[in-house]
Every structure is written in C-alpha cells, then in structure tokens.
Amino acid sequence: SGSSDPYCVVKVDNEVVARTATVWKSLNPFWGEEYTLLLPRGFHSLTIYVLDEDTIGQDDVIGKVLLSHQQISAEPRGEWGARRAGGQWDPPWHPGVPTLSPSTGVDSWLSLAPVNPDQEVQGEIHLELRVPERGHLRVLRCHLIQARDLAPRDPSGTSDPFARVSCCGHTLETAVIKKTRFPHWDEVLELELPKGELGEAVLSVEVWDWDIVGKNDFLGRVEFPLDTLCLGPTRGWFQLLPFPSTSKDHGGQLGALRLAVRLVEDTVLPPHLYQPLIQLLTEPILCPGQPPEGTALAVLEEVTSGESRQDVAIKLVKIFLGQGLAVPLLDYLTTRELARTADPNTLFCSNSLASKSMEQFMKVVGLPYLREVLKPVVDRIFEEKKYVELDPGKMELSRGRRISFKGSLSEAQVQESSLELLKGYLGDIVDAIVGSVDKCPLPMRVAFKQPRRRVEERFPLAQHEEVRYFSISGFLFLRFFAPAVLTPKLFRLREQHAEPRTGRTLLLLAK
C-alpha cells in the first residue's frame, strides 16, 4: 500500500522495557508516549527499534536508534518532548522525600540505522581476571566461568558458544559447548604480557557461535584496559556488547526518530537529613507573619527559570503533600501572584510557579476523577470515527460519500454536519463535567476555594465579578480537561493514540 504500521520497542541493554502503540497506515507516525524507567547505575545502552506491524508473518524491522550511556550523559540537560504537549505523569514517589537530581539527556531528530544481526547481542559473561607476579614474568590469568542468556543463532533456538580472549597480539579460545545459551566453561586461559609500560593495551573477551559450515556468528564482547587489571583482581558478571558500529550514516534513508531522553541520577538521603530544608520551605506557611520577600519559597520563585519551573513545581507539590500542606502552599503561591497582577485578564495565564504547582496538584489528586468524567464520551468518539472538519482548506469532500448516498457534499454541508457533531460531543462533555460536582475530589475543591476567595478580595469591583470564575476555569479547563480531550492516551483514558481522523476531532473539541 506504500505505507507502514509503525511502532517502537524500547530496550535497555538486552531487556525489552516498553512498546508503543501502533500507528496504522502512516510513514510519519506520532506517538507522544513517555516512559519512566528505573535503571541500574551500570546500564550500557538504550536502543529504540522501529518496526512495521504485520497481521500475517513476522513484523518487519525498519531501523533503530542506539544511545550509549556515555552519549546520554554527555549533554548537560534534557527535556521530555511529550510532557508539554500532553501532560506529564510522574513515577512513584515517597511523599515528603526530595532528591538531588542532576539531569542529562538527548533531545533531537536521530537518523535510523539499519539493524545488523551481528550487532544485535545479548547476555552476560562471568569472568575472573588477575595479573599474578611470577618473578620477572607477567601473566594475564583469565578464568572464563560461564555465560547466560546468549542470543540464539541456530535454527534450533540455541547456539554453540565458545569464548576467545585476545591481548597484545596473543589469542586463545575455550572449548565449544554445544546447543545452549547458558554455557559453563570453567576454563583458565593465560596470556603472557610484554615487559614495560602497557600503555593503552586492552584485553578483549569475545563470545562466538561455532558453525560447522560457514563463518562463526558473533555473540558479543567486552573489553578491559590492562592498566586497571594490573591494580588488582576483577571478578563479576559483565554485559556483552556489540562491535563498535562501522555502518555509514544512511542520511535518513530509513527515516528519523524524534526522541527526547532525560537521565536523572537521584541520590536519596536518610529522611532526617531533609528536615532543615523542609522546615525552611514550610516556614512561610506555618509562620505567616514574617515578611514574604525573604522566605525560601519567595527566593525559589524568583530564581527559577521557565525551563526548570515545572521540575520545581513537581518537587514542591510532592514535599508539601507529604507534609499535609499542599493546599496552604497553593494558597501562598496564588496570593503572591495576585499581588503582582494588575490586569485580571492575564491572571494565572503565564507558566508561573503558582500555575505549574496547581497543574501538578490536579494531576496527582485528580486522575481517577478525570477518567470517570471524560472516558465514556472519549470512548464514543473513538468508536464512531466520524469525519469532522471546519477548515475549508483541510476538507476532503470525497469523505461526504460516507455521510450521504447522494455523492460528495459541499463545503457548507460538511461544515454544517461537522458543527452538529462537535456540538453534540461538546454538549456531552460539558454535561459530564457540570454533573460531576459531587465526584470532584475534596482536595481539589478545597484548593480552588482559596484562590476564588483571594480573587474576590483582590478585584472587588462589580465589573470584575466574573474574574473569580475565570481564575478557576483557567486551571480546570485549560490545564486539566482540555489537554485530556486532546491526547487521551497520555492521561490514561485510552490504550492507544487516536488515528488521524479521530485526532482531528479531538483537537477541534479541545479548542
């Protein structure tokens, strides 16, 4: 058909950790999916494979993007590309325990590389390496104990693995263990080292699948600088890695993947060590009599830039929820913003710390409520798949045949039918929201009661009577309900993203 049904598989080292939804019939898929993964500190690489889903037979591999730990760590800062567009849902957290989180990452278009079977490796090898002194002779003693979870290279689903060690021009091999992906060699191979400085010499340990006909298949390798081995024995399980890539840049011939990866290395200290920080942050809430400008919260609000404000808001909401002070925190921040606002029409419109904190608070406490209110209508929109379009420049009038047996419709007829559909859907959404007052979580209702009262005090004139409602709807609709209508999957309302036609309907509804 000249198209594909692409999806992505995410691997950390050799373990599959995530799979996106399939975007049907598209060469320009949008996923917008975000995953939070808890990784071991010693992980080596992150690989994203792009595949084409086939109903019959195996799925086709289109290409991959491989990022080493070093590549991700090289950039000083990364941002999640999807979180601004469709909301962010945070990993599990311990209330009241902040973390020290230096972050690095990658955020760019990356060309897909071809998938070479010789570079697709998995598994680990168990080694003990030492350099015992034997008079004037230096010998590298390599104890190859076993390997596990090797890649299957034979039709039987197994391999015939052997190990090869190479150093300073010398090479030795173990015996071949037939028909297994978990070989146990327990062999000691000794290599004589040259006299003098070793410089940048390395020990290379490779694992191969022995074939009686044709060339042997590569299963993975690991390298060790000799100067580190001379410092003392090394023993443990080591991840097998592919050969360094020698494939040329295909210049986007296979396509490119827009990817945002953010690596946060958290250091969590014992809870009592955070008490001075928590006391400093909560002081203006618990002791409101002091001048507001000198408080830690006020200083934090002044020094955070737009880029970091979201992260600060997430941390603050978590800390204050853990202390049972989230609503007083929101009251404090909104009161400060009100004091700085002269024009009521701009109230809470910016990405201030108050706005971001309220947004994060709603996401923490309001997700089940959001699902209960919107999911029935969103499900119906997905199931009906109606053609909706108001913009004449984007209309496909041939779609009218799906609506009428009299042939194609005119622009005016498509607009009229689309408007009726949108009014129907929107009416159901508004009715669901208005009828959900009793279901709205109590913490959200209490949190909104405070800013409404503060707005009435700040703008008491009759001409500003509606501002107290705008101040609430700005949060509740623009930062809560509307984004969930626009991208339901990111708010856990659907398992998969909308196909283009349904996505257009959701976009018009959100607007």
Side-chain angles (χ1 to χ4, degrees):
S1 64
S3 187
S4 286
D5 305 312
Y7 66 94
C8 293
V9 169
V10 184
K11 276 180 133 184
V12 174
D13 291 333
N14 299 323
E15 183 181 359
V16 175
V17 294
R19 183 203 192 277
T20 69
T22 300
V23 179
W24 303 102
K25 293 181 173 55
S26 175
L27 295 177
N28 300 286
F30 171 79
W31 290 287
E33 299 193 22
E34 177 179 317
Y35 302 98
T36 299
L37 309 170
L38 186 62
L39 303 177
R41 287 192 179 272
F43 84 97
H44 293 92
S45 63
L46 175 77
T47 310
I48 295 90
Y49 295 86
V50 183
L51 297 98
D52 170 39
E53 182 165 333
D54 288 332
T55 307
I56 301 173
Q58 279 193 329
D59 295 348
D60 301 315
V61 181
I62 298 172
K64 71 174 182 179
V65 167
L66 187 149
L67 294 171
S68 68
H69 191 164
Q70 290 77 11
Q71 284 175 287
I72 300 171
S73 302
E75 297 296 325
R77 170 91 182 177
E79 284 296 336
W80 287 107
R83 81 177 182 190
R84 294 193 189 93
Q88 179 190 17
W89 300 103
D90 300 313
W93 49 275
H94 189 286
V97 178
T99 55
L100 307 174
S101 310
S103 63
T104 56
V106 173
D107 187 348
S108 63
W109 281 99
L110 300 171
S111 294
L112 293 177
V115 174
N116 183 341
D118 284 342
Q119 294 182 357
E120 302 303 304
V121 303
Q122 66 181 59
E124 297 173 301
I125 187 167
H126 192 193
L127 302 170
E128 182 179 15
L129 309 170
R130 63 176 65 236
V131 182
E133 289 287 348
R134 296 181 181 174
H136 298 293
L137 191 66
R138 280 194 301 181
V139 174
L140 174 58
R141 188 177 188 274
C142 308
H143 185 188
L144 295 99
I145 304 168
Q146 59 185 320
R148 62 189 179 194
D149 194 29
L150 299 177
R153 289 285 191 256
D154 296 338
S156 61
T158 62
S159 290
D160 303 320
F162 68 94
R164 176 186 297 159
V165 296
S166 303
C167 181
C168 302
H170 302 290
T171 300
L172 294 173
E173 295 179 353
T174 68
V176 176
I177 309 294
K178 296 289 188 71
K179 293 184 171 27
T180 181
R181 293 173 50 228
F182 296 82
H184 192 278
W185 296 291
D186 197 17
E187 290 191 37
V188 176
L189 304 178
E190 294 189 344
L191 297 168
E192 185 177 337
L193 297 180
K195 297 178 181 179
E197 293 295 326
L198 296 173
E200 297 182 359
V202 297
L203 166 69
S204 173
V205 181
E206 300 174 359
V207 182
W208 292 81
D209 167 47
W210 178 82
D211 286 332
I212 191 169
V213 178
K215 65 176 185 177
N216 298 328
D217 300 313
F218 178 67
L219 292 174
R221 70 199 289 261
V222 61
E223 287 189 339
F224 302 88
L226 277 186
D227 55 358
T228 61
L229 297 180
C230 291
L231 298 177
T234 298
R235 182 184 175 114
W237 285 95
F238 300 94
Q239 188 79 42
L240 291 172
L241 301 175
F243 279 121
S245 178
T246 57
S247 59
K248 299 176 181 176
D249 183 6
H250 283 244
Q253 292 176 8
L254 299 175
L257 184 67
R258 179 78 164 84
L259 184 66
V261 178
R262 183 177 178 189
L263 179 64
V264 180
E265 309 227 28
D266 284 341
T267 303
V268 183
L269 305 175
H272 71 272
L273 295 178
Y274 293 101
Q275 286 310 307
L277 172 63
I278 291 173
Q279 289 172 7
L280 193 65
L281 290 172
T282 56
E283 192 175 23
I285 309 297
L286 299 175
C287 308
Q290 58 181 310
E293 296 307 319
T295 65
L297 279 178
V299 173
L300 196 59
E301 191 174 13
E302 291 298 324
V303 300
T304 52
S305 63
E307 182 179 309
S308 62
R309 200 161 285 148
Q310 173 120 344
D311 290 336
V312 172
I314 292 170
K315 296 289 193 295
L316 280 179
V317 168
K318 290 177 180 178
I319 291 171
F320 278 79
L321 276 170
Q323 300 298 310
L325 296 171
V327 171
L329 167 71
L330 298 174
D331 183 38
Y332 174 85
L333 293 174
T334 53
T335 301
R336 282 181 54 80
E337 181 155 342
L338 272 166
R340 296 192 296 265
T341 304
D343 183 359
N345 294 314
T346 64
L347 187 59
F348 303 132
C349 290
S350 65
N351 287 325
S352 63
L353 192 58
S355 300
K356 285 295 183 184
S357 298
M358 183 68 84
E359 184 179 330
Q360 294 306 317
F361 176 78
M362 289 190 295
K363 289 175 181 177
V364 171
V365 304
L367 183 57
Y369 165 64
L370 184 73
R371 181 182 177 87
E372 186 174 358
V373 173
L374 291 183
K375 186 168 173 54
V377 185
V378 169
D379 284 345
R380 184 156 61 85
I381 294 169
F382 271 75
E383 290 160 7
E384 292 180 352
K385 293 183 170 63
K386 300 284 189 181
Y387 180 68
V388 175
E389 186 53 75
L390 299 178
D391 184 349
K394 295 183 178 179
M395 281 184 187
E396 300 175 32
L397 297 181
S398 60
R399 299 276 189 183
R401 293 175 187 164
R402 299 176 184 266
I403 306 170
S404 169
F405 292 107
K406 299 178 182 179
S408 298
L409 299 179
S410 66
E411 286 183 3
Q413 289 172 311
V414 173
Q415 269 189 330
E416 183 180 353
S417 65
S418 298
L419 198 57
E420 288 303 311
L421 283 169
L422 287 173
K423 284 181 178 178
Y425 290 143
L426 193 58
D428 291 343
I429 289 173
V430 172
D431 288 345
I433 294 172
V434 173
S436 70
V437 173
D438 294 334
K439 300 173 185 175
C440 184
L442 183 61
M444 282 180 62
R445 298 170 71 174
V446 174
F448 285 133
K449 181 179 180 180
Q450 292 295 93
R452 172 176 168 167
R453 183 168 63 85
R454 301 291 189 191
V455 168
E456 288 174 342
E457 294 170 356
R458 177 70 176 84
F459 300 103
L461 300 179
Q463 67 194 65
H464 296 147
E465 184 179 1
E466 291 186 337
V467 175
R468 57 185 175 178
Y469 301 113
F470 292 156
S471 63
I472 305 305
S473 63
F475 287 122
L476 200 56
F477 286 92
L478 293 181
R479 297 176 184 267
F480 192 61
F481 287 119
V485 170
L486 178 63
T487 49
K489 186 179 189 302
L490 297 181
F491 286 77
R492 315 262 177 96
L493 299 180
R494 295 288 298 185
E495 289 297 318
Q496 295 192 332
H497 285 292
E499 41 79 31
R501 188 196 303 182
T502 303
R504 180 65 178 166
T505 302
L506 296 174
L507 173 63
L508 293 170
L509 277 173
K511 287 184 175 182

